[in-house]
Amino acid sequence: MAKTIYIVVPCYDEEEMLPISAPQLLDKLMSLIHSSQITDQSRIMFVNDGSGDQTWSLIQQLHSQDSHYSGVNLSRNRGHQNALLAGLMTAAEYCDAAISIDADLQDDINAIDDMVTKFNDGYDIVYGVRSDRTSDTFFKRFTAQSFYRVMNMLGAKTIFNHADFRLMSRRVLAGLAEFPEVNLFLRGIIPMIGFKSTTTEYARKERIAGESKYPLRKMIGFALEGITSLSTVPLRLITYLGGFIFSISVVFAIYTLVQHALNHTISGWSSLMISLWAIGGLVMFSLGVVGEYIGKIYLETKKRPRYLIESVLNDTEQKKL
Ligand code: UDP
Ligand code: MG
């Protein structure tokens, strides 16, 4: 049986891009509807993230032209991740699966066919993965890829070269709703949800109209957000660094004492040097230990679900409570 798919598109100041991307998205949706792969109740859902331009009135116009376009209007600008979440949670009330994609269509909409096929084959998450980033500037490519590497090194498992272009089934969306954290980094949370997942590859294109809403300043902020909201490894690094400096101080102490014994030093130097390193190392080590506890508190305050059940095998009837 065909499923209802929602394509969720966060939009911030996209008045230049919308008139180009909306018809392309509709064509894609209609072709999937006509080939009976998805139902006619499927929609393209634009989320207006407090745009300062004509974005919302464009969305309203689109909706009045064709009911396959729908819209969500946020009260103010809340940023890409929050806008996306708002759209996904709204879509979850109507759909069997939602696909998120940026308004600039840098991600190839033709990958949607493959996502829908894989969803029909029983996958719950289909990650869009960029096989080719040649359209990105060297700088963007370099910064983005170093970011994925650092994230993985710090223990936050993200899918390499995957941004926010993915299909998620209804139960994945329900799982996502169980993550009440405020510092949202969807790329890190979705893999934590689990369920059967796969990827589909595509070549990333250039933005054809409007400007990137992610200048370097925002990109760095986003990277820091990702690292600090998924990993407490930086806190542990302080502990290691403290231990390291303290062990240097031990070596240094021996060296200083030898110099002292050989009378190569002026008075006061030895004691100063030893205490400087030893105390520095100890202070940093203690900070790290305190940090370890803060890290635990931090993770607890996120109130993440401890598990999500995929299926239960049991033949006996459930007792009504
Ligand atoms: N976006 C948003 N709110 C913001 C910033 C961006 O909803 O505060 C949307 C934007 O309209 C686009 C998507 O997030 O659909 C990704 O932004 P962009 O394409 O500018 O980022 P880049 O591809 O350069 O990383
Ligand atoms: Mg873009």
Side-chain angles (χ1 to χ4, degrees):
M1 211 186 73
K3 300 284 170 54
T4 301
I5 305 280
Y6 268 54
I7 302 178
V8 178
V9 193
C11 306
Y12 174 60
D13 286 354
E14 296 286 5
E15 62 180 8
E16 287 171 59
M17 206 52 233
L18 268 185
I20 307 170
S21 34
Q24 289 188 29
L25 284 166
L26 187 65
D27 279 353
K28 180 50 69 191
L29 195 80
M30 293 319 284
S31 81
L32 285 165
I33 292 174
H34 289 142
S35 58
S36 307
Q37 295 187 66
I38 62 177
T39 67
D40 194 42
Q41 276 74 53
S42 300
R43 296 281 177 273
I44 296 157
M45 179 171 267
F46 294 109
V47 183
N48 174 37
D49 185 18
S51 302
D53 64 1
Q54 292 302 308
T55 301
W56 180 240
S57 56
L58 279 175
I59 296 172
Q60 286 174 311
Q61 267 177 41
L62 288 167
H63 172 68
S64 60
Q65 282 161 17
D66 192 317
S67 62
H68 289 102
Y69 290 121
S70 69
V72 175
N73 194 17
L74 298 190
S75 59
R76 48 166 283 217
N77 181 252
R78 296 295 296 130
H80 180 203
Q81 299 288 294
N82 290 312
L84 190 50
L85 183 74
L88 291 173
M89 291 299 112
T90 314
E93 295 166 29
Y94 308 94
C95 69
D96 295 307
I99 297 173
S100 52
I101 188 167
D102 288 349
D104 54 13
L105 300 193
Q106 282 186 282
D107 303 309
D108 189 3
I109 56 169
N110 295 314
I112 291 178
D113 298 78
D114 195 38
M115 287 184 174
V116 172
T117 310
K118 285 179 169 154
F119 171 60
N120 286 329
D121 287 347
Y123 285 100
D124 281 283
I125 308 177
V126 187
Y127 297 102
V129 171
R130 298 162 186 169
S131 56
D132 165 24
R133 289 188 81 122
T134 42
S135 68
D136 281 343
T137 59
F138 170 77
F139 181 71
K140 174 103 191 178
R141 206 161 60 223
F142 176 75
T143 47
Q145 294 191 336
S146 327
F147 168 65
Y148 291 114
R149 295 218 170 85
V150 171
M151 288 290 284
N152 280 319
M153 257 162 50
L154 292 181
K157 292 284 166 258
T158 50
I159 310 284
F160 196 68
N161 267 342
H162 157 74
D164 282 308
F165 181 31
R166 70 179 85 81
L167 176 142
M168 283 162 283
S169 71
R170 202 187 156 81
R171 59 180 179 181
V172 170
L173 295 174
L176 179 60
E178 299 284 317
F179 286 74
E181 51 206 83
V182 179
N183 298 308
L184 201 58
F185 189 75
L186 291 171
R187 266 167 243 188
I189 297 174
I190 309 289
M192 271 187 226
I193 297 177
F195 297 113
K196 226 174 133 186
S197 64
T198 184
T199 57
T200 182
E201 293 202 344
Y202 65 94
R204 183 167 158 95
K205 294 184 275 189
E206 268 168 68
R207 195 184 240 279
I208 15 185
E211 278 163 16
S212 169
K213 310 292 181 293
Y214 272 103
L216 183 63
R217 182 178 55 82
K218 269 201 191 173
M219 251 163 59
I220 293 175
F222 188 59
L224 285 179
E225 179 89 335
I227 291 165
T228 53
S229 74
L230 289 171
S231 159
T232 51
V233 173
L235 290 174
R236 178 152 302 163
L237 290 182
I238 299 178
T239 319
Y240 291 158
L241 197 63
F244 177 68
I245 291 184
F246 185 71
S247 44
I248 290 184
S249 88
V250 175
V251 178
F252 215 80
I254 298 168
Y255 169 75
T256 332
L257 289 176
V258 170
Q259 294 294 315
H260 184 73
L262 296 175
N263 258 334
H264 284 169
T265 59
I266 50 167
S267 76
W269 182 77
S270 319
S271 49
L272 259 182
M273 279 328 265
I274 295 173
S275 34
L276 192 79
W277 281 81
I279 292 177
L282 283 177
V283 165
M284 196 175 263
F285 183 75
S286 339
L287 260 183
V289 171
V290 174
E292 286 283 324
Y293 287 96
I294 294 183
K296 295 275 179 311
I297 299 171
Y298 176 61
L299 292 178
E300 288 292 337
T301 55
K302 283 186 179 290
K303 294 202 169 33
R304 283 178 180 163
R306 277 169 297 182
Y307 56 83
L308 297 165
I309 293 174
E310 178 162 341
S311 53
V312 177
L313 285 181
N314 190 349
D315 296 335
T316 53
E317 193 145 322
Q318 224 173 354
K319 283 207 180 94
K320 295 268 175 327
L321 286 174

